[in-house]
Structures are given as structure tokens and as C-alpha cells.
Amino acid sequence: MSEIKLEKLDDNRWLLPRTGAMRVPGIIYANEKIFDLLKNDESAKQVANVAHLPGIINYSLAMPDIHWGYGFPIGGVAAFDLETGVVSPGGVGYDINCGCRLMATELTLHDIKDKIKDLTTALYQRIPSGVGSTGHVKLSGKDQKKVLEEGAGWAVKNGFGSLQDLETTEDGGCLSGADPEQVSARALERGKQQLGTLGSGNHFLEIEAVQEIFDEKAAQAFGLHKGQIVIMIHTGSRGLGYQICDDYLALMVKHQPETGIVLPDRQLACTYLASQRGRNYLAAMACGANYAWANRQILMHLTREVIEKTLRIAPRELGMRLVYDVCHNIAKIELFNIAGVEKKLCVHRKGATRAFPAGHEAVPSRYRSVGQPVLIPGDMGTGSYVLVAQEKAMSETFGSACHGAGRVMSRTQAIKTSRGRSISREMADQGVLVMAGGKGTLSEEMPEAYKNLNDVVAVVHEAGVARKVARLKSIACIKG
Amino acid sequence: MPKYKLFDHTADIGVAVTGRTRKELFVNAAQAVFAIMIANRIDRQGAQRQKTIIVEGSDIADLLINFLREILYLFNGEALIVEDCHIQECSNQRLVAKLLVEPYSKEKYSTKMELKAVTYHGLSVERIKNGWIARVIFDV
């Protein structure tokens, strides 16, 4: 990032001053340690590039898990005026509504410690993962349209879970405005076979134990206590979302000259929110988001069935309950106070989690007194964090927090670094049983490939964006 | 010179492809995609068939992205592996490619990395002394 000069605002924030054709300055959430890592890649430049887009409000933001993406940085947040601003498929990402789902159980580590291998094997066999995997749910054209329109609600209606699950899913598991007519035949085709699958790459299903509680009141509201077994799922809209993004990206690149918008990177291709093409993309994106929620809902149900069967316990004994489901690749129309005026904006979160504080009407009623749960998975060895959104998220980050640890090592570097080592054995030594399909997956996903999750979480905690509630330790991990 | 080389990108994977001619550049790019994704082919007996694709773009870089998009869709959408590629016609805006494809199955091929999409970020296609070089970043 040689040409980018950042100015330290405080211990956790850096200002990227407005230069050239940037319409607003940038702000990167980082402490000194994370700031040092920024020097290794192009992510700060990407924050500056996003600031070139028309109608951007206040700042081009990046969360502390920032790393080099394409177009937007991963960890990027940008809000746009509905009349003068744009929507960019690349600012949402290929995996529309990629997100995390955390399920609590009544089990403790003591209950399962002798059965971890059986459980993990059973989950690995039952939950389709890896390249080209297909799901147990085969969709007819009519059903698929309903999935795209209704999201997690469709899954619940069809026997995958309960209505209660929808209450603690972001947006109730259904983004409004979905129009399957705006989704291509190719995207629909890819989606038919993949509902109820995990996918490959960094997607996972983890058995975790609550290791430490930082905030008793919030933990109690979320139903979390020390020693408890919880399950984290990280996946998204699979091939359907990728195809929607790719189709609209191609379309917007093709028609970019007509918009008159000059872009520093073609991957930032965009169109005005007020245009027909912009509305069509949002309607198609909502379909992708709903598919992802249905996907995670089905995976939760399959997980519940596998655990009950393997441990031979009744649903009441397992007591599986959805703590929360968040999406971290999305564009949403949300209300914010901008210079004293309530304004609807289109917030792009590209690898960033929504974080609405206590009292916000979008926070499920049972959590409204404490705030929205923010789920932050880390690398395989570290586990995850649960945070609770704070007031500053509304005033500073358009209701957003980080979404993970963020990569620090490229996949090729990780594969090189891991050569001659058994990552699965190293993980086992750390008390994490890992099962993965793809040959390179474990090497690419080795813990050293990621930033230190504790550092990333400390930044949002200290910056007043989201407060630490609980730390979760990985016990077993399934990867594609 | 080598047909393709990987370069580092934090979250994804970059590929620099070379070719003596424009046609060869496109053929090598298609080969690189499958060389990155497929570790090895277990069973050599397959039901191969031919497929012709026509791709358009606003310039050669856009054409390359749209070509790779089609190649990736064959794998991601139709579960087909491209075993061979012959470019019949190629300008900066349009190409016709004759492909030899084979159905993918987990039993027949082992995969090492999934290329999920081709991006425009950091994209370049340039003439060099001995032909052409293209740099493309894939989402993985």
C-alpha cells in the first residue's frame, strides 16, 4: 500500500484521507498489530477505490478483519444514498448471504467427550460438503421459486425446523423484494441440486464448547453458559448466489459506460440504485439471500437429527435452539441518522456482520434489551466469539462489525507453509478433530493463514462497536 | 516458457497465463483452470463429447473473462470437465471454441481446489515479446 497514507485517529481507527477522485475519506478499524498487516496487501487501496463510487455516505469503511478482496476489500462496509447512490454486485460478493448460524444445546462437553469421533463422522457423512456436492432436498421449479421468495420460512414449512428458529434469524430468514423472475435459468439450475449443502473452501460446520463468558447478562439472554456445547455453521447461497452475482456483474460491466461512472477497478461495476437494473439486481440478490437462509435452516435441521440419532437422545434432551443467524455478504436498505436526519440507505456489507444495538426494532424481542448477537468465527484452532452489538455501531459503522479473523496468508502461501506437515494431526494435538473432503482444504485453512482472532475482536470491542460476550473453543470441524 | 503460473492474492488465487498466440493464450487459460481444480483423473474411460461455445466481449480482457466464465459454468453448472480446447476463430471481441468435454464425477476425478468465479480485479491482457500474457484473479 505504498501510495496510501493512513493517519491514526485513535487506538483502533485509521483515517484514509480523501485524495484524487475519492468522494469521501476512508476509515479502517485496526490496532497497531493489524495495521502492520495492512502493509502486505492492496486492501487499503480497495477502501480508497470504494470511496470513488457515487452517492457514498460519510466514509468508506473497513472492519479489522480487512484483507485484500476484489473490488471491495473483505471486511468492507459502504452505505449509499438511494437517489444518487449505486449498488454493486461485487460489493456484496459472489456468495450472497454467506453467513453464520450458531445453535445452542443442552449438552456439555462432559456429555459428548467420548463420542466426538462418532458424532463428527456421522455429521460428515450426513451433511454434504466439498466440490460439486448435491443436497438431499431436490427442488422442482415451483418449489425453488418458493425457496427464493420465502427463505428459511420455506424450510420450516417443509419440516426443517420450527417457527421459533425464524425469530432469531436476521430478517426472520427472508429478505423482502425477492423476485425469481430476475434470476437467470443458469442460476436456477445451479440452485436445484445444492440446497442443504455446506460447500467447499472456508465453509464449515463446527462443534464448539463455550470456553469463557465475558458478559453474563448478554450470555444469559442468548442462552449461553460455560461448558455448553454449541454448533456453528458457516455457508451461503452456493452456486445459485455465485451465478446471480456473476450474471449481474457481467451485465453491469457491459453497461457501465452508459452510467457515466468512472471506476478505478472493473470489479466495482455498479449501477444506480434508482435504475431498473439496480432494482432488478436487488430483487435477484434477495432471492440469493433467501436461498442461503433456507440452506442454513436445512443444515441446522440435519445436524439436529444426526446428533439425536448418534447420541440416542430425545429432542428435549438435546434442546437445540437457534441462538442467531447472521449474513455477512449483503446489501440492505436500512434506516440511519445522518447529520440529525433519518435516512434510508443501501448498506453494502462485504464480509461484515450486521450489528444493531439494544432497542433497535430489527433485534429479536428476546434480545432487544441487550442487543443483536454478532457471530465471529475464527480459524479452526481458535474457535469463535459471540459479541453483542453496541451503540457506536449505529453512529459509526452503519450498524456493522467484523465477520471473522480475516486471512493474512494467501492460499498458495498456506499450502507451501504446510508442506511436510499434517495439519489434521496438529489440530488433533490442539484438541480439534478435523474432517475435510478437498485435498488442499486443510492446508489452505491452516490456523496460521488467518489473523489472530483475539486481536480482531479486541478492536471492535474497544472501539465500542460490539462487546465480547463469549469465547467458543473448537472441538470438531467439518470442511468441504 | 511455462503456460501458467500462480501468483499470490490473500483471499483468492491469481493466475498468470502466457501463450505465443492469442488463440494459444485462451487454450492455456482453459487448461490452467482445470489444472488448478483437478488433482488427477482416476479412470481414463469416459464418455467424451464435443461442444462449441461462442463468446463475446468488449475488448480482449473482457473476452477472456467471459470465456473463462463459460468454462467455469460448464464445470459448476453442468458438471463437465474440459479435456481439450481448440479455438477456431478469435478476434479481440469474439471467439469460437470447440471443446472436448467429459462429465465430472467424484469417482473419476479428485479435486484439489474449487475455482468458484473469475473476477475483473487486477485483470490484464498484454502483448509481450514472445506472444501474450494475461493476469486473472479467481474467487475460491
Side-chain angles (χ1 to χ4, degrees), chain A residues 153-444:
Chain A
W154 179 88
V156 168
K157 236 188 264 175
N158 285 273
F160 301 97
S162 71
L163 281 172
Q164 211 183 2
D165 299 338
L166 303 182
E167 287 171 23
T168 46
T169 303
E170 184 169 328
D171 291 323
C174 179
L175 198 55
S176 61
D179 178 4
E181 293 300 317
Q182 306 309 327
V183 177
S184 73
R186 280 187 170 189
L188 294 173
E189 188 54 40
R190 286 178 73 173
K192 265 186 196 168
Q193 307 282 328
Q194 293 184 325
L195 200 59
T197 65
L198 201 55
S200 68
N202 61 3
H203 292 161
F204 65 78
L205 183 150
E206 260 184 25
I207 303 175
E208 301 175 333
V210 179
Q211 192 179 30
E212 194 177 353
I213 299 283
F214 305 98
D215 181 331
E216 282 293 346
K217 189 184 164 204
Q220 204 173 7
F222 299 162
L224 298 173
H225 58 85
K226 203 171 167 183
Q228 179 185 20
I229 293 295
V230 295
I231 311 282
M232 180 82 91
I233 294 175
H234 175 224
T235 187
S237 49
R238 311 287 287 106
L240 179 119
Y242 266 81
Q243 195 64 43
I244 291 171
C245 176
D246 202 42
D247 291 339
Y248 279 90
L249 186 62
L251 202 63
M252 290 189 197
V253 165
K254 193 173 170 190
H255 293 282
Q256 197 67 54
E258 296 159 28
T259 64
I261 304 165
V262 180
L263 298 174
D265 179 352
R266 254 199 255 203
Q267 190 71 19
L268 290 173
C270 57
T271 194
Y272 286 103
L273 280 154
S275 69
Q276 191 57 49
R277 196 168 291 121
R279 284 193 289 272
N280 291 352
Y281 168 69
L282 285 177
M285 184 208 71
C287 290
N290 292 342
Y291 183 95
W293 272 315
N295 192 32
R296 290 197 289 272
Q297 181 66 39
I298 291 168
L299 290 177
M300 170 177 174
H301 183 73
L302 294 177
T303 304
R304 188 194 327 244
E305 283 182 342
V306 170
I307 300 178
E308 285 169 6
K309 201 175 155 195
T310 311
L311 300 181
R312 296 199 187 106
I313 53 172
R316 187 179 290 182
E317 284 175 88
L318 174 61
M320 186 178 280
R321 188 178 55 73
L322 181 58
V323 176
Y324 204 61
D325 177 303
V326 287
C327 63
H328 52 227
N329 275 3
I330 201 79
K332 290 258 194 86
I333 312 292
E334 292 165 346
L335 200 61
F336 292 94
N337 188 316
I338 303 298
V341 182
E342 292 282 310
K343 224 175 153 158
K344 270 189 182 173
L345 303 174
C346 179
V347 182
H348 290 58
R349 297 192 182 99
K350 167 79 176 286
T353 302
R354 194 185 74 178
F356 283 171
H360 195 291
E361 62 176 17
V363 178
S365 52
R366 72 168 78 167
Y367 300 152
R368 205 164 292 159
S369 65
V370 290
Q372 181 211 302
V374 174
L375 310 177
I376 317 287
D379 60 78
M380 293 184 284
T382 310
S384 312
Y385 272 91
V386 178
L387 287 81
V388 63
Q390 298 295 286
E391 205 49 56
K392 272 201 179 162
M394 282 321 268
S395 56
E396 288 186 4
T397 63
F398 300 107
S400 315
C402 55
H403 86 305
R407 287 192 78 91
V408 67
M409 205 186 265
S410 75
R411 289 170 206 265
T412 40
Q413 273 174 314
I415 289 169
K416 264 181 228 161
T417 310
S418 66
R419 209 161 273 162
R421 289 165 53 182
S422 166
I423 301 300
S424 74
R425 185 169 305 153
E426 287 177 25
M427 298 310 304
D429 289 345
Q430 291 177 46
V432 189
L433 174 65
V434 185
M435 291 192 186
K439 280 195 164 187
T441 307
L442 283 187
S443 307
E444 289 169 32

Side-chain angles (χ1 to χ4, degrees), chain B:
Chain B
M1 63 186 150
K3 288 175 178 175
Y4 77 92
K5 226 170 121 178
L6 301 183
F7 64 85
D8 277 347
H9 179 276
T10 318
D12 299 290
I13 193 158
V15 188
V17 187
T18 51
R20 280 169 300 177
T21 62
R22 201 164 37 189
K23 281 184 181 177
E24 201 182 272
L25 179 77
F26 281 82
V27 170
N28 290 348
Q31 281 177 356
V33 164
F34 287 98
I36 293 164
M37 287 201 292
I38 306 296
N40 60 311
R41 200 177 135 172
I42 296 151
D43 175 9
R44 285 240 157 242
Q45 304 294 314
Q48 294 185 333
R49 64 185 166 93
Q50 284 195 339
K51 197 172 173 79
T52 302
I53 58 168
I54 299 168
V55 184
E56 294 181 342
S58 60
D59 53 43
I60 189 164
D62 193 43
L63 184 69
L64 177 66
I65 294 299
N66 288 340
F67 172 66
L68 293 173
R69 223 180 218 138
E70 290 299 311
I71 295 280
L72 272 180
Y73 178 73
L74 288 177
F75 181 71
N76 293 324
E78 297 184 17
L80 292 172
I81 300 265
V82 175
E83 286 284 358
D84 196 23
C85 168
H86 174 67
I87 308 286
Q88 289 184 309
E89 290 172 44
C90 185
S91 71
N92 277 349
Q93 278 97 31
R94 185 175 184 274
L95 71 79
V96 180
K98 212 171 186 178
L99 311 172
L100 193 65
V101 296
E102 187 170 332
Y104 163 80
S105 71
K106 273 186 177 174
E107 292 72 38
K108 208 183 289 175
Y109 295 92
S110 65
T111 54
K112 49 183 176 182
M113 184 184 282
E114 187 178 15
L115 297 183
K116 294 179 179 170
V118 52
T119 81
Y120 292 94
H121 179 61
L123 169 68
S124 68
V125 181
E126 286 167 47
R127 284 212 76 133
I128 49 171
K129 203 176 155 198
N130 300 325
W132 293 83
I133 184 162
R135 288 169 69 86
V136 185
I137 292 169
F138 290 90
D139 174 282
V140 293

